[in-house]
């Protein structure tokens, strides 16, 4: 599909499933190399990162575990400026090398709050991987992902786990909101 309609808005294809797989594999190889000899704990931020986390984790060759949290700071296409922790972390992360898996870093607000909490819980190290990164939208620099799949302009995207009001997560490719000029 070259374009999709969700809630009356048109989104055009931005990345194919094949291109996504290439990007994910590259990130995984960097993590495999940087964490050689270590046993990092991956924390997948639900819901958006579930597809990226699944694909990434399959490419991780390290001895490592994965756990899941739900945080929410978004409604519709504009940030609400609020971080809600919907399901808290149940694993003891004291002394662990943590890698947080996100779908997209926009303002960085969600990760700014979460990374701080992980450090307070006694993690040995905390790094961030995000499938997508919107550098021009970033407001919290501590949320800059060390392992970013792809930098994109400040536009709304959906598919590959990312939603628009809970729709579009199932699309295997990534789509970008068509602007009024195009
Ligand atoms: P931040 O806290 O502003 O960095 O927002 C991060 C969260 O907002 C992500 O985990 C997504 O759930 C959501 N988000 C940001 N940009 C987009 C987008 O373009 N499409 C879908 N969700 C987005």
């Amino acid at each position: 599909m070259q374009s999709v309609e969700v809630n009356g808005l048109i989104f055009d294809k931005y990345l194919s499933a094949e291109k996504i797989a290439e990007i994910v594999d590259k990130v995984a190889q960097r993590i495999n190399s940087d964490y050689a000899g270590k046993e990092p704990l991956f924390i997948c931020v639900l819901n958006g990162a579930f597809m990226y986390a699944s694909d990434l984790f399959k490419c991780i060759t390290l001895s490592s575990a994965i756990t899941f949290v739900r945080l929410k700071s978004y409604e519709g296409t504009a940030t609400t400026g609020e971080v809600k922790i919907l399901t808290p972390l149940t694993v003891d992360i004291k002394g662990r090398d943590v890698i947080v898996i996100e779908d997209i870093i926009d303002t960085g607000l969600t990760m700014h709050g979460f990374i701080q909490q992980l450090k307070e819980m006694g993690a040995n190290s905390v790094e961030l991987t995000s499938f997508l990164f919107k550098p021009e939208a970033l407001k919290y620099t501590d949320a800059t992902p060390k392992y970013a799949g792809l930098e994109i302009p400040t536009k709304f995207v959906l598919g590959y786990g990312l939603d628009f009001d809970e729709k579009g997560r199932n699309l295997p490719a990534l789509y970008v909101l068509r602007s009024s000029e195009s």
Side-chain angles (χ1 to χ4, degrees):
M1 272 183 295
Q2 280 315 305
S3 60
V4 291
E5 187 177 337
V6 178
N7 288 352
L9 297 176
I10 308 290
F11 292 79
D12 296 311
K13 195 182 251 182
Y14 191 70
L15 287 177
S16 66
E18 293 72 27
K19 184 71 195 157
I20 290 173
E22 270 174 41
I23 291 171
V24 175
D25 188 62
K26 269 193 199 144
V27 174
Q29 297 327 322
R30 283 182 59 205
I31 294 175
N32 285 334
S33 151
D34 288 0
Y35 285 78
K38 293 186 177 165
E39 295 195 3
L41 171 69
F42 288 86
I43 301 179
C44 166
V45 181
L46 297 171
N47 295 331
F50 80 99
M51 242 183 232
Y52 174 50
S54 165
D55 288 344
L56 181 79
F57 202 53
K58 279 183 269 182
C59 302
I60 294 296
T61 51
L62 308 160
S63 163
S64 51
I66 187 164
T67 189
F68 302 85
V69 283
R70 293 190 71 211
L71 314 168
K72 201 162 168 77
S73 71
Y74 237 74
E75 272 163 26
T77 56
T79 185
T80 61
E82 199 187 320
V83 182
K84 290 183 208 147
I85 300 180
L86 304 178
T87 55
L89 204 58
T90 49
V91 180
D92 184 7
I93 63 158
K94 213 167 274 162
R96 301 294 305 267
D97 293 307
V98 171
I99 302 175
V100 180
I101 307 178
E102 254 290 31
D103 52 354
I104 187 162
I105 301 296
D106 187 46
T107 65
L109 171 72
T110 318
M111 281 306 103
H112 165 73
F114 188 53
I115 288 169
Q116 263 181 354
Q117 274 184 259
L118 293 173
K119 287 183 177 159
E120 281 162 20
M121 287 178 205
N124 181 51
S125 65
V126 183
E127 294 294 354
L128 175 61
T129 178
S130 183
F131 174 57
L132 300 169
F133 176 35
K134 296 180 182 170
E136 287 149 20
L138 191 73
K139 289 192 189 141
Y140 300 87
T141 51
D142 58 344
T144 305
K146 179 165 184 185
Y147 305 100
L150 187 71
E151 292 189 4
I152 63 165
T154 309
K155 290 189 174 176
F156 194 81
V157 289
L158 98 166
Y160 193 62
L162 290 109
D163 73 307
F164 173 38
D165 283 342
E166 293 304 325
K167 291 190 182 144
R169 290 196 200 276
N170 52 322
L171 296 163
L174 190 80
Y175 293 80
V176 63
L177 180 61
R178 188 180 291 178
S179 61
S180 42
E181 305 95 66
S182 51

